[in-house]
Amino acid sequence: MSKFYPFCFAVVLVLMAVPLFSAEEDNFLQDYLLSYPETIYAGATAPFSWQKDNWLQASAIVITGGCLYFLDDDLRDCFQRNRNEVTDDIFTVAKQFGEVKIMFPVMALTALGGYLTKDEKTIDTSLLCLKSSLLSLAVTQTLKLASQRQKPYKEEGKEFWNGKGISFSRDSFPSGHTTLVWSLAPVLAEQYKNSRWVPPTVYTIATLTSLSRLNDDQHWSSDVFAGAVIGYVTARLVLKNTPRLMLNAQPEINGISFKYKF
């Protein structure tokens, strides 16, 4: 359990960086935390209000995932045949962006830095990233336990529910690294969309991190695809259903006031 300590510390540090004592708005943390179940509810009930285009998109995702499942063995062979020292070096760097033990402390320190420098966008972005990653990883971890799929390097086949009983070691579907990086990329791209280099950079990193799981023989292609979908969809829901922190200068009181909005 010690590997979860940095994760827990990072979450606490992010929340501590939230300005809680505004004279005008003193319930931001409460509203922010309440937005977690609200976002879950919004995601769970969204299909009831889908239009034709939404159903077509969902169908395309399911069909793509199904096709990748049937191609999993062939795609694995393709990646492993073309694996070499150069690809290993590239993807070793890329996969770090999907490591919980790295990315959560980064989020925490970024939030703290934003608080100390009075940078409202940095604090806001950190809180959005925290929420998106926590919710998406919760979905992924649940599916890992429910699907019971072996990782490809174990050479036990690509089937789901592969083995007797329930084992935490059968955790291939979906890819956690992919989920994490794709839960962050849309948030960063949206928050810094006015910068011409941020959106393409974060999506390139997300793609390379995803491919690293195939190069390293840690996941099937359908695992990676599912992780990317979970992360991306969660990020879009979080951006729509989270109170936003706004920091405004108040010259008349010679200081800073914190506000938030939906």
Side-chain angles (χ1 to χ4, degrees):
M1 295 297 290
S2 60
K3 65 181 180 180
F4 294 105
Y5 293 161
F7 162 75
C8 296
F9 172 76
V11 172
V12 171
L13 192 56
V14 170
L15 295 179
M16 285 176 63
V18 180
L20 302 178
F21 303 108
S22 166
E24 296 183 9
E25 305 286 358
D26 58 0
N27 294 319
F28 173 76
L29 181 58
Q30 174 182 305
D31 290 343
Y32 171 76
L33 293 176
L34 287 175
S35 74
Y36 278 66
E38 290 169 359
T39 299
I40 295 172
Y41 177 80
T45 58
F48 296 107
S49 59
W50 280 358
Q51 303 300 316
K52 181 179 178 180
D53 289 345
N54 301 119
W55 285 108
L56 288 174
Q57 292 171 359
S59 298
I61 290 172
V62 172
I63 292 172
T64 300
C67 291
L68 287 174
Y69 174 79
F70 288 109
L71 293 172
D72 272 337
D73 286 318
D74 293 335
L75 289 172
R76 181 200 176 195
D77 291 341
C78 178
F79 270 90
Q80 296 311 302
R81 281 197 310 270
N82 292 282
R83 184 176 180 178
N84 53 57
E85 291 184 3
V86 175
T87 62
D88 283 349
D89 289 342
I90 293 173
F91 290 129
T92 295
V93 175
K95 74 177 181 180
Q96 307 308 317
F97 293 94
E99 291 280 0
V100 168
K101 63 184 179 182
I102 294 176
M103 298 311 295
F104 273 92
V106 167
M107 281 184 264
L109 293 174
T110 301
L112 184 59
Y115 178 63
L116 295 175
T117 59
K118 307 302 182 184
D119 186 339
E120 78 275 15
K121 176 166 281 190
T122 298
I123 301 172
D124 190 43
T125 302
S126 298
L127 292 172
L128 289 170
C129 286
L130 175 66
K131 179 180 176 182
S132 182
S133 56
L134 286 175
L135 293 182
S136 61
L137 287 173
V139 173
T140 287
Q141 291 301 319
T142 300
L143 289 176
K144 282 178 178 290
L145 190 61
S147 60
Q148 293 290 292
R149 193 184 198 189
Q150 297 280 13
K151 293 193 172 185
Y153 73 87
K154 293 186 177 180
E155 303 292 352
E156 296 188 25
K158 66 180 182 180
E159 293 76 17
F160 294 94
W161 307 289
N162 187 1
K164 295 182 179 180
I166 295 179
S167 172
F168 287 98
S169 66
R170 295 195 289 268
D171 60 349
S172 188
F173 181 88
S175 165
H177 282 70
T178 305
T179 299
L180 177 55
V181 73
W182 279 96
S183 73
L184 303 178
V187 173
L188 296 172
E190 176 64 25
Q191 287 290 91
Y192 299 97
K193 60 185 177 182
N194 293 328
S195 172
R196 67 176 63 183
W197 63 269
V198 171
T201 298
V202 295
Y203 282 120
T204 297
I205 290 173
T207 300
L208 290 175
T209 302
S210 303
L211 293 176
S212 75
R213 311 314 288 154
L214 302 177
N215 178 80
D216 296 349
D217 207 24
Q218 292 292 316
H219 286 283
W220 305 96
S221 58
S222 52
D223 300 337
V224 171
F225 178 73
V229 170
I230 292 169
Y232 182 85
V233 171
T234 303
R236 301 311 304 180
L237 282 170
V238 165
L239 286 167
K240 290 176 59 178
N241 297 280
T242 306
R244 309 300 293 274
L245 184 65
M246 302 297 292
L247 180 68
N248 299 301
Q250 298 291 324
E252 67 274 11
I253 61 174
N254 191 29
I256 298 293
S257 73
F258 292 94
K259 299 181 180 180
Y260 68 97
K261 68 176 183 177
F262 280 97

